Amino acid sequence: MNPSTEVPGSPEQPPPPRPDARAIWPPATWALHETLAVAMAPFGIALVATIGLIAFGADGSGWLVVLTVIQQLALGLGVWGWVRAHTGSVRGLGLQRGGWNGRDVGAAIAAGIGALVASGIVIALTQDLTGTAEVANPLRSAGDAWVIPNAMLALVMAPVCEEIAFRGFLFGGLRRRFRFWWAGALSAALFALIHGDPVRMPALFVSGIILAAVYERRRTLVAPMVTHGVVNLVSVAAFAALS
């Protein structure tokens, strides 16, 4: 008998699952304790790096840029490497060849514009409530000599490394066990805290929620990377113009 022939009266067999990774949500497979431990590891690495730089007599503000590079590499490359070693691929981070298209990019750009408007409103409200006259220029956090390196960090490293760590890994791991708002809020809170700017922190939290929503909706990490890149590009241009 042909096994594909349907036998009268037999229960209908369900169709096989589609071999489409975008249909599997969330793609993260790591346990909750692994999510928390690996997500916090980059901060431990940054702390050890800080102690090392101080012990070797790091002077001037340039060491802050070096520390930022170390932290970004720990967030991006470190988490990427752990996931690849642990699962055999980085598909769990929402990264796969051919897993995104032009519509994902277009939606991500639109979300970036929306995130800029929303964060601008939140920053204005925060300034009004706290009586803060202006927002510190992050491009000049290490002095005038480090404006271009800081801009490159914001435009190149941050959208990739931070999205791998906070959306692909942390949000993805939390999303396996919690509803969107809980997973999004927890990942956005940590995302806001690492920037260390009290005035921008509420706006960064809102941006973190939007980035998580973009990932949830598009189901490819490329989308929040593009959104993050749009936000940082406009922000860098604005801070550069005000300098």
Side-chain angles (χ1 to χ4, degrees):
M1 178 183 293
N2 189 338
S4 63
T5 304
E6 183 177 347
V7 178
S10 64
E12 184 178 352
Q13 297 298 317
R18 291 177 53 194
D20 181 2
R22 288 173 63 98
I24 302 171
W25 187 257
T29 58
W30 37 91
L32 182 60
H33 70 278
E34 294 172 319
T35 301
L36 300 177
V38 176
M40 296 306 297
F43 302 98
I45 294 172
L47 178 60
V48 171
T50 302
I51 296 172
L53 287 169
I54 294 174
F56 281 98
D59 192 15
S61 54
W63 71 275
L64 294 174
V65 177
V66 175
L67 181 61
T68 302
V69 171
I70 293 172
Q71 185 185 62
Q72 289 291 326
L73 289 174
L75 287 169
L77 189 59
V79 170
W80 182 91
W82 184 91
V83 171
R84 185 172 178 82
H86 187 71
T87 67
S89 74
V90 292
R91 183 171 292 182
L93 291 171
L95 293 171
Q96 64 171 346
R97 184 175 299 178
W100 57 280
N101 54 42
R103 287 176 296 178
D104 295 320
V105 174
I109 293 173
I113 296 171
L116 284 165
V117 173
S119 60
I121 293 172
V122 174
I123 287 176
L125 291 173
T126 304
Q127 289 178 296
D128 186 57
L129 291 173
T130 61
T132 305
E134 60 182 20
V135 178
N137 189 336
L139 296 181
R140 299 188 179 278
S141 61
D144 293 347
W146 296 92
V147 169
I148 293 178
N150 273 332
M152 294 306 297
L153 282 170
L155 294 174
V156 179
M157 291 193 75
V160 175
C161 296
E162 292 177 7
E163 291 311 305
I164 287 175
F166 292 106
R167 253 60 65 179
F169 184 80
L170 182 57
F171 171 76
L174 293 172
R175 187 67 178 88
R176 290 189 66 205
R177 294 156 185 83
F178 304 111
R179 292 181 182 274
F180 168 80
W181 286 109
W182 282 109
L186 289 170
S187 58
L190 190 58
F191 171 70
L193 285 171
I194 68 154
H195 289 82
D197 187 339
V199 177
R200 292 196 302 143
M201 202 169 289
L204 288 165
F205 175 81
V206 171
S207 294
I209 294 289
I210 293 173
L211 288 165
V214 170
Y215 183 37
E216 174 97 1
R217 176 66 177 174
R218 306 311 304 183
R219 302 196 176 187
T220 170
L221 198 63
V222 172
M225 284 180 177
V226 172
T227 299
H228 197 150
V230 169
V231 171
N232 282 13
L233 176 62
V234 175
S235 300
V236 164
F239 280 118
L242 294 174
S243 299

